[in-house]
Amino acid sequence: YARASFVDPVLDAVVARQWKLAVDIGAATCPDWLDGIEYEDDFCYGDFIRRAVSQDDAGIDAVLARWRAALEGGDDVRLEIAEALHQKKVDAFERSLVAMLEAREAMAMKMTDPEMRSPLASELPFYPNRWVSIDALAFLAIAERQGLVVDGELLACPRLVRAGQYAPFRSLGYPDQGLD
């Protein structure tokens, strides 16, 4: 997937504090919005993540403004989190992050309601994704890297993962690919 909104591998690398790998993966995505293939707000989210991970503040204000315009008056808690990160407002960041996590939990509770009979609740990724939020952990890692520290327990953000220090990534499967 070359679309900018597909940031899952970047977020995975960020959670593991593999910053160079996250930057390299982000650089491999399309820098332009692919109209008809991805939503513009999702593109802006991906663009923000790439810039935040690479610590490229140039154009962030434009990305955030474009994101807000793409929402056409709608809400996106990811945008609130991104704006709080950009403005380095730890209280707003934590509030927005908690709101995102509570919304995820409410959706999970709805999906697991026996009367709803949601087929999504029986899909393989549902249970691990219910208890651990890679998005939130990545936002916390980016915030921490910027000097914003959120203390306390957060839903789906185990302290063990948040406090992890990991050795630099070294490719063992493809040593000639220059990924380390």
Side-chain angles (χ1 to χ4, degrees):
Y1 296 100
R3 67 185 196 275
S5 58
F6 184 64
V7 293
D8 294 358
V10 175
L11 298 177
D12 292 339
V14 167
V15 171
R17 309 303 196 273
Q18 300 297 315
W19 299 105
K20 182 183 178 317
L21 180 62
V23 169
D24 290 347
I25 294 169
T29 63
C30 184
D32 303 311
W33 175 42
L34 301 173
D35 189 10
I37 295 176
E38 62 188 338
Y39 294 111
E40 189 173 10
D41 59 315
D42 289 337
F43 164 78
C44 293
Y45 169 64
D47 196 22
F48 173 80
I49 293 294
R50 279 196 321 275
R51 290 170 189 269
V53 167
S54 67
Q55 298 181 311
D56 176 12
D57 285 344
I60 288 258
D61 289 321
V63 170
L64 295 173
R66 180 179 180 178
W67 191 349
R68 185 157 301 286
L71 292 173
E72 298 176 343
D75 292 326
D76 186 344
V77 73
R78 299 174 307 175
L79 175 59
E80 295 172 26
I81 293 168
E83 288 175 333
L85 271 175
H86 180 58
Q87 297 164 2
K88 298 191 180 345
K89 294 183 177 179
V90 72
D91 291 337
F93 170 73
E94 186 172 1
R95 264 192 318 276
S96 300
L97 192 65
V98 166
M100 181 182 85
L101 291 167
E102 287 175 350
R104 283 182 72 244
E105 178 60 16
M107 179 62 76
M109 291 294 288
K110 189 175 175 182
M111 288 171 58
T112 57
D113 183 346
E115 291 185 23
M116 288 293 296
R117 296 186 181 176
S118 172
L120 298 175
S122 63
E123 288 186 2
L124 184 61
F126 175 75
Y127 281 99
N129 289 332
R130 167 140 190 223
W131 304 114
V132 177
S133 172
I134 298 299
D135 295 33
L137 287 167
F139 276 130
L140 285 164
I142 293 167
E144 178 185 285
R145 190 176 189 209
Q146 293 179 359
L148 303 177
V149 178
V150 175
D151 287 326
E153 291 298 319
L154 292 172
L155 187 66
C157 296
R159 186 168 290 287
L160 177 65
V161 177
R162 291 171 53 194
Q165 295 296 323
Y166 307 97
F169 173 77
R170 207 172 58 113
S171 175
L172 300 175
Y174 301 98
D176 61 336
Q177 297 298 313
L179 297 174
D180 44 64

